[in-house]
Amino acid sequence: MRRWVAGVVLALLLPKAAAAQVLELEQAFELALVKSPQAMALGRRLAVSEAEVLVAGAVLNPSIGATFESAGAENRSNVPYIEQTFELGGKRDARLAVADSQVAITRVQIAEALRELRAQVRRAYAELLVVRAGSEALQEVAAAGERLQVVAAQRFRLGDIPELDLIRARQELALAQNELQLARSREAAARIQLNTLIGRDPGAAVTVPTVAQFSLRVENDSLLPPDNRPSGEREDKLRGLIALALASRADLQVLGGQVALAGAERRLAEAERAPDLRVGAGPRLSFGETLQVGAAAAVNVNFPLWYAQQGQIARAEASARQLETEREALVARIKAEVESAFVRVLSAREQQQIYEQGLLPTARTVEQTARLAYERGKADLTVAIGAQTTGNLTRNRYYQSILEYQTALADLEKAIGVPLTT
């Protein structure tokens, strides 16, 4: 009795085994940003760019030297000196402006790369969810195929059906089992892809929500219209998305940064026209009958007589003009990308709703009814197999609609440059 009581107390005190935690889409996004090898590499890329600012702001070091003069064994002089070059015309500040512009561009490029990583995670997550749902559906199909085979065998022994029907039932079961095996292989591949993107061990187990739990949750009512019907609200949403894209798109910001960089490079080239001042000084030591100590100094200025940075200035000006032209073309492309992605999201959402609200429940009902009718001898095998085939096709197309919807959302996120909340 004491042992039993002790066992109960111990069982109550010990923590329960943790159930497999469901990986939500937002959690996958966060893991990708923190643990993904791509995100870590992008962080190091920023460190490299920021180091260029230190290089650009460096002050020239002084130099130490000596001159030796001799006019006979008893008339010699040495001048040890220290020399410093002073950059004039704001060269250092201009270099820093160029380096700062490059850092700003790098930051925007990293943000764009992280948005692309987010899109990859969304697609991989949806792929795993859809493939896993397909595997579970095929398990049910295989179980149903086994039941059909058992019923077919019973009816064949009773002489109710020809042997051909029994062979067909066995064949359908073999096909379902083969499809199930392929689906499990695709699920393993999808799991490896998602784990790699979010920085996990490729073979780690991943639990994702069911299709019913996931479905159409990833919407933002402030960005998408409630339905697909042409309306003023739909047009307003589209205009709002285009305005958001023009304000948020990283490639447009990169182009703006490149324009600023071209201006900074032009100012640097103009600063390079100014001569540098080189000043040196030191004691003059004369060796003769007696040691004489004096002083020596030198001043040098390089004079830009033949070349005054004309090439660099012309290149920076031409680059700025080219970038302005590219900006106009990019604005037109952004508008087209947003509108195209917007239409695809609404279309994919409508298709998914059609399957969920009508086609999928109907196919499931027909499949179950046909199977029961065959088991009761009120329908032949062709009807049951046909209903099962139609059910499989409907489910596959439904899962494909989910994947297309998630892909369209990922493309819309990229098009507007802003994540859609979940």
Side-chain angles (χ1 to χ4, degrees), residues 148-158 161 166 170 374:
L148 280 179
Q149 178 182 281
V150 171
V151 173
Q154 293 173 348
R155 294 183 63 182
F156 173 69
R157 284 195 298 270
L158 296 173
I161 61 172
L166 177 58
R170 291 171 177 171
Y374 177 73

Side-chain angles (χ1 to χ4, degrees), residues 282-327:
R284 184 182 184 87
L285 306 176
S286 298
F287 300 91
E289 295 180 357
T290 60
L291 173 64
Q292 297 181 354
V293 180
V299 177
N300 292 290
V301 177
N302 62 319
F303 186 61
L305 177 62
W306 310 116
Y307 186 70
Q309 305 295 314
Q310 297 95 328
Q312 284 86 338
I313 293 174
R315 181 178 60 191
E317 291 175 345
S319 177
R321 290 191 295 270
Q322 176 193 354
L323 291 170
E324 286 296 337
T325 304
E326 290 181 1
R327 187 183 186 283

Side-chain angles (χ1 to χ4, degrees), residues 59 66 126 145 153 174 224 234 240 310 312 345 347 355 401 416:
V59 177
L224 298 176
R234 174 173 171 171
Q310 297 95 328
Q312 284 86 338
V345 165
S347 175
Y355 276 101
S401 73
I416 64 177

Side-chain angles (χ1 to χ4, degrees), residues 232-389:
E233 182 181 4
R234 174 173 171 171
E235 296 303 319
D236 289 342
K237 296 292 186 183
L238 177 57
R239 283 192 293 269
L241 288 173
I242 291 175
L244 184 60
L246 295 178
S248 307
R249 277 283 288 258
D251 46 0
L252 199 57
Q253 294 175 15
V254 167
L255 206 56
Q258 289 173 340
V259 172
L261 176 60
E265 288 176 339
R266 186 184 189 281
R267 290 188 291 274
L268 176 59
E270 291 173 344
E272 292 287 350
R273 288 176 167 178
D276 292 335
L277 177 64
R278 190 166 69 249
V279 178
R284 184 182 184 87
L285 306 176
S286 298
F287 300 91
E289 295 180 357
T290 60
L291 173 64
Q292 297 181 354
V293 180
V299 177
N300 292 290
V301 177
N302 62 319
F303 186 61
L305 177 62
W306 310 116
Y307 186 70
Q309 305 295 314
Q310 297 95 328
Q312 284 86 338
I313 293 174
R315 181 178 60 191
E317 291 175 345
S319 177
R321 290 191 295 270
Q322 176 193 354
L323 291 170
E324 286 296 337
T325 304
E326 290 181 1
R327 187 183 186 283
E328 295 176 2
L330 180 58
V331 167
R333 190 171 77 244
I334 288 174
K335 292 179 179 179
E337 289 177 356
V338 172
E339 186 168 1
S340 174
F342 180 74
V343 171
R344 286 177 52 219
V345 165
L346 297 186
S347 175
R349 183 179 66 178
E350 183 179 30
Q351 287 297 309
Q352 187 170 334
Q353 290 172 336
I354 288 173
Y355 276 101
E356 289 181 343
Q357 297 172 7
L359 296 178
L360 198 62
T362 301
R364 188 178 295 113
T365 300
V366 170
E367 195 173 1
Q368 293 173 350
T369 302
R371 187 183 305 120
L372 287 174
Y374 177 73
E375 291 176 357
R376 295 169 182 174
K378 296 181 179 180
D380 59 20
L381 185 62
T382 302
V383 173
I385 292 177
Q388 182 172 293
T389 302

Side-chain angles (χ1 to χ4, degrees), residues 10-196:
L10 184 61
L12 291 173
L13 292 177
L14 288 176
K16 294 182 179 180
Q21 184 177 4
V22 175
L23 178 68
E24 299 291 347
L25 182 57
E26 277 298 324
Q27 292 174 327
F29 289 150
E30 293 171 2
L31 285 172
L33 291 178
V34 175
K35 295 185 176 182
S36 167
Q38 295 182 40
M40 296 174 65
L42 290 171
R44 293 190 176 97
R45 177 182 171 186
L46 179 60
V48 172
S49 182
E50 290 175 338
E52 293 297 327
V53 177
L54 298 177
V55 176
V59 177
L60 296 175
N61 289 318
S63 59
I64 298 175
T67 62
F68 303 93
E69 299 178 4
S70 175
E74 297 181 355
N75 189 5
R76 293 177 292 110
S77 62
N78 299 337
V79 181
Y81 63 87
I82 182 170
E83 187 177 66
Q84 177 68 51
T85 299
F86 298 93
E87 293 184 303
L88 305 179
K91 293 185 183 68
R92 180 173 179 272
D93 290 341
R95 285 199 307 271
L96 284 170
V98 170
D100 287 338
S101 297
Q102 291 172 334
V103 170
I105 291 173
T106 301
R107 289 182 184 276
V108 177
Q109 290 174 334
I110 288 174
E112 174 65 11
L114 291 176
R115 279 194 272 272
E116 173 60 29
L117 175 61
R118 178 186 174 93
Q120 293 175 4
V121 170
R122 183 186 286 279
R123 295 190 190 100
Y125 187 93
E127 177 74 20
L128 177 59
L129 183 144
V130 165
V131 171
R132 180 162 294 177
S135 296
E136 293 172 355
L138 284 171
Q139 287 179 352
E140 296 178 2
V141 170
E146 290 179 354
R147 289 197 299 271
L148 280 179
Q149 178 182 281
V150 171
V151 173
Q154 293 173 348
R155 294 183 63 182
F156 173 69
R157 284 195 298 270
L158 296 173
D160 191 26
I161 61 172
E163 185 178 8
L164 179 60
D165 280 6
L166 177 58
I167 295 174
R168 288 187 60 191
R170 291 171 177 171
Q171 183 183 24
E172 288 297 321
L173 174 59
L175 288 173
Q177 292 172 340
N178 184 61
E179 287 294 324
L180 177 59
Q181 186 64 33
L182 291 175
R184 286 171 175 168
S185 298
R186 289 194 294 267
E187 180 181 343
R191 184 178 64 251
I192 291 172
Q193 182 182 13
L194 179 59
N195 277 331
T196 302

Side-chain angles (χ1 to χ4, degrees), residues 220-238:
N220 187 327
D221 292 336
S222 65
L223 296 178
L224 298 176
D227 54 51
N228 292 9
R229 291 175 295 180
S231 63
E233 182 181 4
R234 174 173 171 171
E235 296 303 319
D236 289 342
K237 296 292 186 183
L238 177 57

Side-chain angles (χ1 to χ4, degrees), residues 119 122-123 126 344-345 401-413:
R122 183 186 286 279
R123 295 190 190 100
R344 286 177 52 219
V345 165
S401 73
I402 295 175
L403 188 58
E404 289 175 357
Y405 180 61
Q406 292 300 314
T407 301
L409 282 173
D411 292 342
L412 183 59
E413 284 187 336

